Amino acid sequence: MLTPASKLELEKQGYRIVGSHSAVKTCGWTKNMIRGEGGCYKLKFYGIMSNQCMQMTTSISCANRCTFCWRGYKAPVSKEWKWEVDTPEDIHAGAMHAHHQLLVGFGGSPTANQAAYAKSKEIKHVALSLTGEPIFYPRINESLALFNRDGVSTFLVTNAQYPEQIRDLKPVTQLYVSVDAPTKEMLKEVDKPLFKDYWERLLLSLDYLAQKKQRTCVRLTVVKGENDVLLDKYAELIKRGNPDFIEAKAYMHVGPSRERLTQENMPLHEEIISFSKALVKHLPDWEIVSEHVSSHVVMFAKKKFKINGVWHTWIDFEKWHELVNNDPEGKLFTSMDFLRKTPQVGLSGKGSLDSMPEEKRKRFLAEKKELSSYGEEAYKFVDEKTEEMEFYAGKEEKEEIEEKLVITK
Ligand code: SF4
């Protein structure tokens, strides 16, 4: 699948190529958590321990050329699978080995929290995203079965260009479909899709997503000045997919995407909040639940996850593994059968406004008037306790942190 040159290029960027069409790369948040600097937004929203998470793909190839993609265009694009197919066992073993090799430097490192590093040796979560289209791998269901066997939860992201693969996909812990624009014309601009029937493929993918019984999520990547409009149209697509969760996430001005977009195209966290507050007005079955400021992301959940007035968006991973290993087709259980209460007090950091250079802050505050149509409360937002602090601390320190947390309430 890869030319020697593109393989070399990707390995220079920190990827480890596994077999002929898979890859692993350590997520920045995995490193962050091992350094004791906190976990990713999926820890906060769903309970993923970022230090025990492996980021990988089973297909480096993709059928889109999204303008906001932070990965280079080194990976091939194709509509058909035209390469040899590596075995799920080889990919599984190769990926886990490569992941551990990439983290081995933390052992004994003064920058690492050794308790968090020790835990990282036990992979508990896999994010099938990284680059390309993991769902495109013809034996993806066998890969999922290996992760279920090993007690590794599975988050899989797809850009909705392979609807049949979504239809035939065995249960994953959380299935993501990316909706990158509200209209057919704009999707063409933003995703540069290969398939002529790209729009029909998106609609069919959303139909199949709506039929899934386990956790589903629609991810919006908001590119300021490009696709942050027509919220009613976004709402129509979201309702069609009927996901359990929605994530409105800012485009991040990083990597090769800077050759195609500017810093101005990256929304501030406050702008993602305003976008979300406007969007939720079109989505009566969902509510905004949480935010992660440093990732510029807001999470919505179906109201059914608010049980007796308390949000339950975290995953009971033990229960998930018990259910999926007893019922691999997922016919007998739903996303409501493996929930945990979402923790509830503040630890997340400041808004991006606080960390903005003076000049830019002045300009933004001038714009603020324009945003005030969304209402003042757009800037005041709930926070969440993520329990990750206790993870770093020994017993005695736990009490100390508990005390501190009580103070911050
Ligand atoms: S869930 Fe995603 S963001 Fe979080 S640690 Fe894993 S790969 Fe990184």
Side-chain angles (χ1 to χ4, degrees), residues 25-31 33 39-43 46 48-56 125-130 155 157 176 219 249 295:
K25 183 178 182 182
T26 311
C27 172
W29 287 104
T30 301
K31 296 176 187 169
M33 191 145 176
C40 69
Y41 76 81
K42 292 174 193 138
L43 165 61
Y46 314 120
I48 295 275
M49 295 308 257
S50 312
N51 63 311
Q52 295 182 285
C53 180
M54 172 172 70
Q55 182 181 227
M56 69 169 289
H125 314 290
V126 64
L128 289 156
S129 55
L130 184 58
F155 274 36
V157 181
Y176 282 79
R219 157 99 53 75
K249 192 172 184 315
S295 303

PDB file of all heavy atoms in Angstrom, residues 25-31 33 39-43 46 48-56 125-130 155 157 176 219 249 295, ligand 1:
ATOM      1  N   LYS A  25       0.658   5.098  16.127  1.00  0.00           N
ATOM      2  CA  LYS A  25       1.393   6.308  16.508  1.00  0.00           C
ATOM      3  C   LYS A  25       0.929   6.714  17.898  1.00  0.00           C
ATOM      4  O   LYS A  25      -0.278   6.706  18.167  1.00  0.00           O
ATOM      5  CB  LYS A  25       1.135   7.448  15.509  1.00  0.00           C
ATOM      6  CG  LYS A  25       1.930   8.713  15.822  1.00  0.00           C
ATOM      7  CD  LYS A  25       1.696   9.821  14.807  1.00  0.00           C
ATOM      8  CE  LYS A  25       2.547  11.037  15.147  1.00  0.00           C
ATOM      9  NZ  LYS A  25       2.332  12.174  14.226  1.00  0.00           N
ATOM     10  N   THR A  26       1.876   7.056  18.788  1.00  0.00           N
ATOM     11  CA  THR A  26       1.488   7.414  20.154  1.00  0.00           C
ATOM     12  C   THR A  26       0.726   8.734  20.147  1.00  0.00           C
ATOM     13  O   THR A  26       1.186   9.711  19.555  1.00  0.00           O
ATOM     14  CB  THR A  26       2.729   7.570  21.047  1.00  0.00           C
ATOM     15  OG1 THR A  26       3.563   6.441  20.870  1.00  0.00           O
ATOM     16  CG2 THR A  26       2.331   7.698  22.509  1.00  0.00           C
ATOM     17  N   CYS A  27      -0.409   8.773  20.793  1.00  0.00           N
ATOM     18  CA  CYS A  27      -1.203  10.004  20.881  1.00  0.00           C
ATOM     19  C   CYS A  27      -0.554  10.951  21.875  1.00  0.00           C
ATOM     20  O   CYS A  27      -0.021  10.510  22.912  1.00  0.00           O
ATOM     21  CB  CYS A  27      -2.611   9.672  21.350  1.00  0.00           C
ATOM     22  SG  CYS A  27      -3.600  11.134  21.711  1.00  0.00           S
ATOM     23  N   GLY A  28      -0.611  12.236  21.579  1.00  0.00           N
ATOM     24  CA  GLY A  28      -0.029  13.242  22.471  1.00  0.00           C
ATOM     25  C   GLY A  28      -0.621  13.172  23.868  1.00  0.00           C
ATOM     26  O   GLY A  28       0.067  13.376  24.867  1.00  0.00           O
ATOM     27  N   TRP A  29      -1.902  12.804  23.942  1.00  0.00           N
ATOM     28  CA  TRP A  29      -2.547  12.749  25.253  1.00  0.00           C
ATOM     29  C   TRP A  29      -2.090  11.540  26.054  1.00  0.00           C
ATOM     30  O   TRP A  29      -2.077  11.573  27.291  1.00  0.00           O
ATOM     31  CB  TRP A  29      -4.070  12.748  25.080  1.00  0.00           C
ATOM     32  CG  TRP A  29      -4.584  14.085  24.676  1.00  0.00           C
ATOM     33  CD1 TRP A  29      -4.997  14.472  23.422  1.00  0.00           C
ATOM     34  CD2 TRP A  29      -4.719  15.237  25.514  1.00  0.00           C
ATOM     35  NE1 TRP A  29      -5.383  15.790  23.444  1.00  0.00           N
ATOM     36  CE2 TRP A  29      -5.217  16.286  24.721  1.00  0.00           C
ATOM     37  CE3 TRP A  29      -4.451  15.479  26.870  1.00  0.00           C
ATOM     38  CZ2 TRP A  29      -5.467  17.559  25.226  1.00  0.00           C
ATOM     39  CZ3 TRP A  29      -4.702  16.744  27.383  1.00  0.00           C
ATOM     40  CH2 TRP A  29      -5.207  17.774  26.563  1.00  0.00           C
ATOM     41  N   THR A  30      -1.698  10.468  25.367  1.00  0.00           N
ATOM     42  CA  THR A  30      -1.155   9.312  26.081  1.00  0.00           C
ATOM     43  C   THR A  30       0.131   9.729  26.785  1.00  0.00           C
ATOM     44  O   THR A  30       0.336   9.447  27.966  1.00  0.00           O
ATOM     45  CB  THR A  30      -0.886   8.173  25.077  1.00  0.00           C
ATOM     46  OG1 THR A  30      -2.127   7.837  24.438  1.00  0.00           O
ATOM     47  CG2 THR A  30      -0.305   6.952  25.761  1.00  0.00           C
ATOM     48  N   LYS A  31       0.965  10.475  26.047  1.00  0.00           N
ATOM     49  CA  LYS A  31       2.224  10.965  26.630  1.00  0.00           C
ATOM     50  C   LYS A  31       1.923  11.936  27.773  1.00  0.00           C
ATOM     51  O   LYS A  31       2.525  11.853  28.849  1.00  0.00           O
ATOM     52  CB  LYS A  31       3.051  11.674  25.554  1.00  0.00           C
ATOM     53  CG  LYS A  31       3.510  10.784  24.402  1.00  0.00           C
ATOM     54  CD  LYS A  31       4.234  11.612  23.361  1.00  0.00           C
ATOM     55  CE  LYS A  31       4.557  10.799  22.124  1.00  0.00           C
ATOM     56  NZ  LYS A  31       5.034  11.665  21.009  1.00  0.00           N
ATOM     57  N   MET A  33      -0.607  12.082  29.736  1.00  0.00           N
ATOM     58  CA  MET A  33      -1.083  11.432  30.962  1.00  0.00           C
ATOM     59  C   MET A  33       0.055  10.688  31.649  1.00  0.00           C
ATOM     60  O   MET A  33       0.149  10.674  32.868  1.00  0.00           O
ATOM     61  CB  MET A  33      -2.230  10.478  30.664  1.00  0.00           C
ATOM     62  CG  MET A  33      -2.907   9.991  31.915  1.00  0.00           C
ATOM     63  SD  MET A  33      -4.647   9.769  31.712  1.00  0.00           S
ATOM     64  CE  MET A  33      -5.022   9.093  33.343  1.00  0.00           C
ATOM     65  N   GLY A  39      -5.390  13.859  31.040  1.00  0.00           N
ATOM     66  CA  GLY A  39      -5.786  13.030  29.910  1.00  0.00           C
ATOM     67  C   GLY A  39      -6.602  13.780  28.883  1.00  0.00           C
ATOM     68  O   GLY A  39      -6.858  14.971  29.015  1.00  0.00           O
ATOM     69  N   CYS A  40      -7.046  13.057  27.883  1.00  0.00           N
ATOM     70  CA  CYS A  40      -7.744  13.644  26.739  1.00  0.00           C
ATOM     71  C   CYS A  40      -9.226  13.869  27.042  1.00  0.00           C
ATOM     72  O   CYS A  40      -9.737  13.456  28.084  1.00  0.00           O
ATOM     73  CB  CYS A  40      -7.627  12.716  25.537  1.00  0.00           C
ATOM     74  SG  CYS A  40      -8.542  11.180  25.716  1.00  0.00           S
ATOM     75  N   TYR A  41      -9.916  14.453  26.091  1.00  0.00           N
ATOM     76  CA  TYR A  41     -11.341  14.753  26.320  1.00  0.00           C
ATOM     77  C   TYR A  41     -12.164  13.483  26.440  1.00  0.00           C
ATOM     78  O   TYR A  41     -13.215  13.463  27.084  1.00  0.00           O
ATOM     79  CB  TYR A  41     -11.874  15.699  25.244  1.00  0.00           C
ATOM     80  CG  TYR A  41     -12.162  15.126  23.887  1.00  0.00           C
ATOM     81  CD1 TYR A  41     -13.350  14.450  23.659  1.00  0.00           C
ATOM     82  CD2 TYR A  41     -11.291  15.320  22.822  1.00  0.00           C
ATOM     83  CE1 TYR A  41     -13.649  13.943  22.399  1.00  0.00           C
ATOM     84  CE2 TYR A  41     -11.578  14.818  21.557  1.00  0.00           C
ATOM     85  CZ  TYR A  41     -12.763  14.142  21.367  1.00  0.00           C
ATOM     86  OH  TYR A  41     -13.066  13.641  20.113  1.00  0.00           O
ATOM     87  N   LYS A  42     -11.684  12.362  25.869  1.00  0.00           N
ATOM     88  CA  LYS A  42     -12.454  11.131  25.976  1.00  0.00           C
ATOM     89  C   LYS A  42     -12.333  10.512  27.371  1.00  0.00           C
ATOM     90  O   LYS A  42     -13.164   9.708  27.770  1.00  0.00           O
ATOM     91  CB  LYS A  42     -12.023  10.156  24.892  1.00  0.00           C
ATOM     92  CG  LYS A  42     -12.431  10.671  23.516  1.00  0.00           C
ATOM     93  CD  LYS A  42     -11.913   9.845  22.391  1.00  0.00           C
ATOM     94  CE  LYS A  42     -12.089  10.573  21.074  1.00  0.00           C
ATOM     95  NZ  LYS A  42     -10.901  10.444  20.204  1.00  0.00           N
ATOM     96  N   LEU A  43     -11.311  10.913  28.105  1.00  0.00           N
ATOM     97  CA  LEU A  43     -11.265  10.541  29.519  1.00  0.00           C
ATOM     98  C   LEU A  43     -12.373  11.279  30.242  1.00  0.00           C
ATOM     99  O   LEU A  43     -13.181  10.705  30.961  1.00  0.00           O
ATOM    100  CB  LEU A  43      -9.905  10.895  30.131  1.00  0.00           C
ATOM    101  CG  LEU A  43      -9.832  10.893  31.657  1.00  0.00           C
ATOM    102  CD1 LEU A  43     -10.142   9.521  32.230  1.00  0.00           C
ATOM    103  CD2 LEU A  43      -8.479  11.388  32.144  1.00  0.00           C
ATOM    104  N   TYR A  46     -15.961  10.116  28.618  1.00  0.00           N
ATOM    105  CA  TYR A  46     -16.381   8.713  28.557  1.00  0.00           C
ATOM    106  C   TYR A  46     -15.573   7.794  29.477  1.00  0.00           C
ATOM    107  O   TYR A  46     -15.863   6.606  29.557  1.00  0.00           O
ATOM    108  CB  TYR A  46     -16.278   8.206  27.119  1.00  0.00           C
ATOM    109  CG  TYR A  46     -16.857   9.136  26.084  1.00  0.00           C
ATOM    110  CD1 TYR A  46     -16.054   9.653  25.051  1.00  0.00           C
ATOM    111  CD2 TYR A  46     -18.185   9.528  26.126  1.00  0.00           C
ATOM    112  CE1 TYR A  46     -16.579  10.525  24.098  1.00  0.00           C
ATOM    113  CE2 TYR A  46     -18.724  10.402  25.173  1.00  0.00           C
ATOM    114  CZ  TYR A  46     -17.910  10.888  24.173  1.00  0.00           C
ATOM    115  OH  TYR A  46     -18.422  11.754  23.218  1.00  0.00           O
ATOM    116  N   ILE A  48     -12.143   7.100  29.239  1.00  0.00           N
ATOM    117  CA  ILE A  48     -10.986   6.446  28.608  1.00  0.00           C
ATOM    118  C   ILE A  48      -9.718   6.868  29.341  1.00  0.00           C
ATOM    119  O   ILE A  48      -9.432   8.059  29.447  1.00  0.00           O
ATOM    120  CB  ILE A  48     -10.876   6.879  27.122  1.00  0.00           C
ATOM    121  CG1 ILE A  48     -12.069   6.384  26.316  1.00  0.00           C
ATOM    122  CG2 ILE A  48      -9.554   6.434  26.515  1.00  0.00           C
ATOM    123  CD1 ILE A  48     -11.941   4.976  25.792  1.00  0.00           C
ATOM    124  N   MET A  49      -8.936   5.914  29.848  1.00  0.00           N
ATOM    125  CA  MET A  49      -7.675   6.274  30.517  1.00  0.00           C
ATOM    126  C   MET A  49      -6.634   6.457  29.415  1.00  0.00           C
ATOM    127  O   MET A  49      -6.120   5.490  28.836  1.00  0.00           O
ATOM    128  CB  MET A  49      -7.262   5.206  31.516  1.00  0.00           C
ATOM    129  CG  MET A  49      -8.240   5.074  32.663  1.00  0.00           C
ATOM    130  SD  MET A  49      -8.577   6.670  33.440  1.00  0.00           S
ATOM    131  CE  MET A  49      -7.605   6.554  34.878  1.00  0.00           C
ATOM    132  N   SER A  50      -6.304   7.707  29.148  1.00  0.00           N
ATOM    133  CA  SER A  50      -5.462   8.031  27.981  1.00  0.00           C
ATOM    134  C   SER A  50      -4.098   7.355  28.014  1.00  0.00           C
ATOM    135  O   SER A  50      -3.531   7.051  26.960  1.00  0.00           O
ATOM    136  CB  SER A  50      -5.273   9.546  27.893  1.00  0.00           C
ATOM    137  OG  SER A  50      -6.508  10.206  28.038  1.00  0.00           O
ATOM    138  N   ASN A  51      -3.568   7.072  29.189  1.00  0.00           N
ATOM    139  CA  ASN A  51      -2.244   6.438  29.257  1.00  0.00           C
ATOM    140  C   ASN A  51      -2.323   4.961  28.864  1.00  0.00           C
ATOM    141  O   ASN A  51      -1.311   4.331  28.612  1.00  0.00           O
ATOM    142  CB  ASN A  51      -1.659   6.566  30.664  1.00  0.00           C
ATOM    143  CG  ASN A  51      -2.519   5.842  31.668  1.00  0.00           C
ATOM    144  OD1 ASN A  51      -3.746   6.037  31.679  1.00  0.00           O
ATOM    145  ND2 ASN A  51      -1.924   4.979  32.465  1.00  0.00           N
ATOM    146  N   GLN A  52      -3.539   4.409  28.833  1.00  0.00           N
ATOM    147  CA  GLN A  52      -3.692   2.985  28.471  1.00  0.00           C
ATOM    148  C   GLN A  52      -4.344   2.852  27.105  1.00  0.00           C
ATOM    149  O   GLN A  52      -4.968   1.837  26.793  1.00  0.00           O
ATOM    150  CB  GLN A  52      -4.529   2.278  29.546  1.00  0.00           C
ATOM    151  CG  GLN A  52      -3.838   2.238  30.900  1.00  0.00           C
ATOM    152  CD  GLN A  52      -4.664   1.498  31.927  1.00  0.00           C
ATOM    153  OE1 GLN A  52      -5.669   2.021  32.423  1.00  0.00           O
ATOM    154  NE2 GLN A  52      -4.271   0.282  32.228  1.00  0.00           N
ATOM    155  N   CYS A  53      -4.195   3.893  26.275  1.00  0.00           N
ATOM    156  CA  CYS A  53      -4.862   3.927  24.974  1.00  0.00           C
ATOM    157  C   CYS A  53      -3.854   3.786  23.829  1.00  0.00           C
ATOM    158  O   CYS A  53      -2.798   4.430  23.849  1.00  0.00           O
ATOM    159  CB  CYS A  53      -5.617   5.248  24.814  1.00  0.00           C
ATOM    160  SG  CYS A  53      -6.483   5.377  23.247  1.00  0.00           S
ATOM    161  N   MET A  54      -4.179   2.932  22.855  1.00  0.00           N
ATOM    162  CA  MET A  54      -3.337   2.751  21.665  1.00  0.00           C
ATOM    163  C   MET A  54      -4.073   3.364  20.473  1.00  0.00           C
ATOM    164  O   MET A  54      -5.253   3.062  20.247  1.00  0.00           O
ATOM    165  CB  MET A  54      -3.096   1.259  21.393  1.00  0.00           C
ATOM    166  CG  MET A  54      -2.403   0.971  20.078  1.00  0.00           C
ATOM    167  SD  MET A  54      -1.911  -0.757  19.867  1.00  0.00           S
ATOM    168  CE  MET A  54      -3.473  -1.584  19.674  1.00  0.00           C
ATOM    169  N   GLN A  55      -3.375   4.238  19.738  1.00  0.00           N
ATOM    170  CA  GLN A  55      -3.958   4.902  18.562  1.00  0.00           C
ATOM    171  C   GLN A  55      -3.424   4.205  17.322  1.00  0.00           C
ATOM    172  O   GLN A  55      -2.208   4.114  17.139  1.00  0.00           O
ATOM    173  CB  GLN A  55      -3.552   6.382  18.565  1.00  0.00           C
ATOM    174  CG  GLN A  55      -4.127   7.197  17.445  1.00  0.00           C
ATOM    175  CD  GLN A  55      -3.653   8.658  17.493  1.00  0.00           C
ATOM    176  OE1 GLN A  55      -4.444   9.577  17.374  1.00  0.00           O
ATOM    177  NE2 GLN A  55      -2.378   8.874  17.704  1.00  0.00           N
ATOM    178  N   MET A  56      -4.320   3.677  16.480  1.00  0.00           N
ATOM    179  CA  MET A  56      -3.828   2.930  15.316  1.00  0.00           C
ATOM    180  C   MET A  56      -4.820   2.973  14.170  1.00  0.00           C
ATOM    181  O   MET A  56      -5.947   3.441  14.316  1.00  0.00           O
ATOM    182  CB  MET A  56      -3.563   1.473  15.698  1.00  0.00           C
ATOM    183  CG  MET A  56      -4.805   0.674  15.994  1.00  0.00           C
ATOM    184  SD  MET A  56      -4.467  -1.103  16.134  1.00  0.00           S
ATOM    185  CE  MET A  56      -4.127  -1.560  14.430  1.00  0.00           C
ATOM    186  N   HIS A 125      -7.580   0.382  25.843  1.00  0.00           N
ATOM    187  CA  HIS A 125      -8.430   1.061  24.867  1.00  0.00           C
ATOM    188  C   HIS A 125      -7.686   1.159  23.536  1.00  0.00           C
ATOM    189  O   HIS A 125      -6.483   1.398  23.520  1.00  0.00           O
ATOM    190  CB  HIS A 125      -8.764   2.479  25.323  1.00  0.00           C
ATOM    191  CG  HIS A 125      -9.192   2.584  26.751  1.00  0.00           C
ATOM    192  ND1 HIS A 125     -10.390   2.111  27.203  1.00  0.00           N
ATOM    193  CD2 HIS A 125      -8.559   3.083  27.846  1.00  0.00           C
ATOM    194  CE1 HIS A 125     -10.500   2.328  28.494  1.00  0.00           C
ATOM    195  NE2 HIS A 125      -9.391   2.898  28.928  1.00  0.00           N
ATOM    196  N   VAL A 126      -8.395   0.970  22.427  1.00  0.00           N
ATOM    197  CA  VAL A 126      -7.806   1.237  21.114  1.00  0.00           C
ATOM    198  C   VAL A 126      -8.668   2.270  20.397  1.00  0.00           C
ATOM    199  O   VAL A 126      -9.900   2.186  20.414  1.00  0.00           O
ATOM    200  CB  VAL A 126      -7.635  -0.034  20.253  1.00  0.00           C
ATOM    201  CG1 VAL A 126      -8.979  -0.677  19.917  1.00  0.00           C
ATOM    202  CG2 VAL A 126      -6.858   0.290  18.974  1.00  0.00           C
ATOM    203  N   ALA A 127      -7.986   3.272  19.822  1.00  0.00           N
ATOM    204  CA  ALA A 127      -8.672   4.281  19.000  1.00  0.00           C
ATOM    205  C   ALA A 127      -8.338   3.941  17.549  1.00  0.00           C
ATOM    206  O   ALA A 127      -7.212   4.154  17.099  1.00  0.00           O
ATOM    207  CB  ALA A 127      -8.199   5.677  19.353  1.00  0.00           C
ATOM    208  N   LEU A 128      -9.290   3.336  16.861  1.00  0.00           N
ATOM    209  CA  LEU A 128      -9.111   2.981  15.441  1.00  0.00           C
ATOM    210  C   LEU A 128      -9.468   4.210  14.637  1.00  0.00           C
ATOM    211  O   LEU A 128     -10.618   4.446  14.284  1.00  0.00           O
ATOM    212  CB  LEU A 128      -9.986   1.780  15.104  1.00  0.00           C
ATOM    213  CG  LEU A 128      -9.503   0.465  15.738  1.00  0.00           C
ATOM    214  CD1 LEU A 128     -10.649  -0.520  15.891  1.00  0.00           C
ATOM    215  CD2 LEU A 128      -8.387  -0.140  14.888  1.00  0.00           C
ATOM    216  N   SER A 129      -8.477   5.081  14.475  1.00  0.00           N
ATOM    217  CA  SER A 129      -8.664   6.351  13.747  1.00  0.00           C
ATOM    218  C   SER A 129      -7.308   6.728  13.144  1.00  0.00           C
ATOM    219  O   SER A 129      -7.010   6.274  12.041  1.00  0.00           O
ATOM    220  CB  SER A 129      -9.177   7.427  14.693  1.00  0.00           C
ATOM    221  OG  SER A 129      -8.305   7.537  15.802  1.00  0.00           O
ATOM    222  N   LEU A 130      -6.501   7.441  13.852  1.00  0.00           N
ATOM    223  CA  LEU A 130      -5.134   7.809  13.439  1.00  0.00           C
ATOM    224  C   LEU A 130      -5.093   8.411  12.040  1.00  0.00           C
ATOM    225  O   LEU A 130      -5.037   9.620  11.896  1.00  0.00           O
ATOM    226  CB  LEU A 130      -4.172   6.627  13.556  1.00  0.00           C
ATOM    227  CG  LEU A 130      -2.707   6.952  13.236  1.00  0.00           C
ATOM    228  CD1 LEU A 130      -2.159   8.032  14.115  1.00  0.00           C
ATOM    229  CD2 LEU A 130      -1.848   5.704  13.329  1.00  0.00           C
ATOM    230  N   PHE A 155     -12.891   2.184  20.038  1.00  0.00           N
ATOM    231  CA  PHE A 155     -13.492   3.389  19.464  1.00  0.00           C
ATOM    232  C   PHE A 155     -13.067   3.404  18.001  1.00  0.00           C
ATOM    233  O   PHE A 155     -11.874   3.312  17.701  1.00  0.00           O
ATOM    234  CB  PHE A 155     -12.975   4.651  20.167  1.00  0.00           C
ATOM    235  CG  PHE A 155     -13.729   5.039  21.411  1.00  0.00           C
ATOM    236  CD1 PHE A 155     -14.235   4.089  22.270  1.00  0.00           C
ATOM    237  CD2 PHE A 155     -13.920   6.387  21.712  1.00  0.00           C
ATOM    238  CE1 PHE A 155     -14.938   4.460  23.414  1.00  0.00           C
ATOM    239  CE2 PHE A 155     -14.614   6.773  22.869  1.00  0.00           C
ATOM    240  CZ  PHE A 155     -15.129   5.801  23.717  1.00  0.00           C
ATOM    241  N   VAL A 157     -13.504   5.371  14.193  1.00  0.00           N
ATOM    242  CA  VAL A 157     -13.949   6.578  13.489  1.00  0.00           C
ATOM    243  C   VAL A 157     -13.986   6.294  11.988  1.00  0.00           C
ATOM    244  O   VAL A 157     -13.042   5.710  11.449  1.00  0.00           O
ATOM    245  CB  VAL A 157     -13.001   7.767  13.755  1.00  0.00           C
ATOM    246  CG1 VAL A 157     -13.505   9.029  13.038  1.00  0.00           C
ATOM    247  CG2 VAL A 157     -12.848   8.022  15.252  1.00  0.00           C
ATOM    248  N   TYR A 176     -17.906   6.182  15.658  1.00  0.00           N
ATOM    249  CA  TYR A 176     -17.962   7.584  15.224  1.00  0.00           C
ATOM    250  C   TYR A 176     -18.183   7.685  13.724  1.00  0.00           C
ATOM    251  O   TYR A 176     -17.505   7.013  12.942  1.00  0.00           O
ATOM    252  CB  TYR A 176     -16.639   8.288  15.506  1.00  0.00           C
ATOM    253  CG  TYR A 176     -16.398   8.718  16.920  1.00  0.00           C
ATOM    254  CD1 TYR A 176     -15.978   7.804  17.873  1.00  0.00           C
ATOM    255  CD2 TYR A 176     -16.550  10.043  17.302  1.00  0.00           C
ATOM    256  CE1 TYR A 176     -15.732   8.200  19.174  1.00  0.00           C
ATOM    257  CE2 TYR A 176     -16.312  10.453  18.604  1.00  0.00           C
ATOM    258  CZ  TYR A 176     -15.912   9.523  19.528  1.00  0.00           C
ATOM    259  OH  TYR A 176     -15.663   9.922  20.826  1.00  0.00           O
ATOM    260  N   ARG A 219     -19.381  13.168  14.846  1.00  0.00           N
ATOM    261  CA  ARG A 219     -18.321  14.155  15.105  1.00  0.00           C
ATOM    262  C   ARG A 219     -18.371  15.256  14.052  1.00  0.00           C
ATOM    263  O   ARG A 219     -18.376  14.965  12.854  1.00  0.00           O
ATOM    264  CB  ARG A 219     -16.967  13.448  15.051  1.00  0.00           C
ATOM    265  CG  ARG A 219     -15.770  14.353  14.759  1.00  0.00           C
ATOM    266  CD  ARG A 219     -14.996  14.773  15.979  1.00  0.00           C
ATOM    267  NE  ARG A 219     -14.578  13.671  16.816  1.00  0.00           N
ATOM    268  CZ  ARG A 219     -13.573  12.831  16.517  1.00  0.00           C
ATOM    269  NH1 ARG A 219     -12.916  12.980  15.380  1.00  0.00           N
ATOM    270  NH2 ARG A 219     -13.234  11.895  17.344  1.00  0.00           N
ATOM    271  N   LYS A 249     -16.153  19.781  17.468  1.00  0.00           N
ATOM    272  CA  LYS A 249     -14.720  19.946  17.771  1.00  0.00           C
ATOM    273  C   LYS A 249     -14.101  20.947  16.795  1.00  0.00           C
ATOM    274  O   LYS A 249     -14.406  20.925  15.597  1.00  0.00           O
ATOM    275  CB  LYS A 249     -14.019  18.592  17.657  1.00  0.00           C
ATOM    276  CG  LYS A 249     -12.606  18.575  18.224  1.00  0.00           C
ATOM    277  CD  LYS A 249     -12.040  17.159  18.256  1.00  0.00           C
ATOM    278  CE  LYS A 249     -10.662  17.154  18.926  1.00  0.00           C
ATOM    279  NZ  LYS A 249      -9.787  18.251  18.445  1.00  0.00           N
ATOM    280  N   SER A 295      -8.917  20.971  24.094  1.00  0.00           N
ATOM    281  CA  SER A 295      -9.185  20.316  22.793  1.00  0.00           C
ATOM    282  C   SER A 295     -10.243  21.070  22.006  1.00  0.00           C
ATOM    283  O   SER A 295     -10.595  20.655  20.901  1.00  0.00           O
ATOM    284  CB  SER A 295      -9.662  18.875  23.023  1.00  0.00           C
ATOM    285  OG  SER A 295      -8.719  18.143  23.762  1.00  0.00           O
TER     286      SER A 295
HETATM  287  S1  SF4 B   1      -8.865   8.346  22.974  1.00  0.00           S
HETATM  288 FE1  SF4 B   1      -7.960   9.431  21.246  1.00  0.00          FE
HETATM  289  S2  SF4 B   1      -7.281  11.394  22.138  1.00  0.00           S
HETATM  290 FE2  SF4 B   1      -7.613   9.968  23.862  1.00  0.00          FE
HETATM  291  S3  SF4 B   1      -5.645   9.039  24.259  1.00  0.00           S
HETATM  292 FE3  SF4 B   1      -6.740   7.700  22.833  1.00  0.00          FE
HETATM  293  S4  SF4 B   1      -6.075   8.330  20.793  1.00  0.00           S
HETATM  294 FE4  SF4 B   1      -5.576   9.964  22.225  1.00  0.00          FE
END
